[in-house]
Amino acid sequence: MTLKEWSEQDLLAWTPATTEAVEPEFPENAAEGHLAYSEPRYIFFYTPLCGTCKVGERMLEVVQALNPRTAMGRCNINFSPLLARNWQIESVPCLVRWQQGVIDKKYRFDGVQELHRWMNVTTNG
């Protein structure tokens, strides 16, 4: 299972001013049409030549298999300079939790269990 690729344009559309009618749809929730606006989305920022990014992406693929309904994708930061500046992405790999315009970032990936726990804590409490 691979992470869906999101462009800078896709992610910039997720501003607090967006309405549910123009939110991107996710295949995981095709029956519902789209995610509820309050559900978090996770964006993995990477660069293609980053070895640590490749390891982090593999970890996230495992987490995605454990939580298939979680909206998760990736974005090549080389093609997203405006987004990197606006969201203050300091380095890669970087996992961003986006929920209603509020951003939380994680740069250190200790393991699959730790990532799964972080995502469940932020999703469920």
Side-chain angles (χ1 to χ4, degrees):
M1 181 178 291
T2 60
L3 299 175
K4 180 179 178 180
E5 187 75 32
W6 287 328
S7 70
E8 181 177 54
Q9 185 178 17
D10 294 335
L11 298 175
L12 285 172
W14 296 356
T15 60
T18 18
T19 64
E20 289 187 46
V22 294
E23 281 190 26
E25 292 186 8
F26 297 94
E28 298 88 16
N29 295 331
E32 297 171 22
H34 56 79
L35 287 173
Y37 188 66
S38 63
E39 292 184 34
R41 300 169 186 161
Y42 296 92
I43 305 100
F44 176 68
F45 286 93
Y46 73 99
T47 59
L49 299 177
C50 170
T52 308
C53 296
K54 292 186 187 315
V55 173
E57 185 171 359
R58 294 277 301 184
M59 289 184 207
L60 286 171
E61 288 170 356
V62 173
V63 173
Q64 185 178 34
L66 294 170
N67 299 326
R69 293 183 52 94
T70 301
M72 198 180 312
R74 67 183 191 161
C75 181
N76 184 342
I77 203 159
N78 290 331
F79 298 114
S80 306
L82 181 61
L83 191 62
R85 188 171 43 255
N86 289 350
W87 288 7
Q88 299 176 354
I89 306 298
E90 297 171 12
S91 65
V92 291
C94 178
L95 181 61
V96 171
R97 174 184 174 254
W98 185 96
Q99 187 172 18
Q100 296 179 336
V102 177
I103 293 172
D104 188 23
K105 296 175 270 191
K106 182 166 191 59
Y107 294 100
R108 184 174 172 178
F109 298 7
D110 292 326
V112 172
Q113 289 179 331
E114 185 268 334
L115 279 174
H116 187 257
R117 187 178 311 112
W118 183 77
M119 292 173 78
N120 280 336
V121 166
T122 57
T123 302
N124 300 325

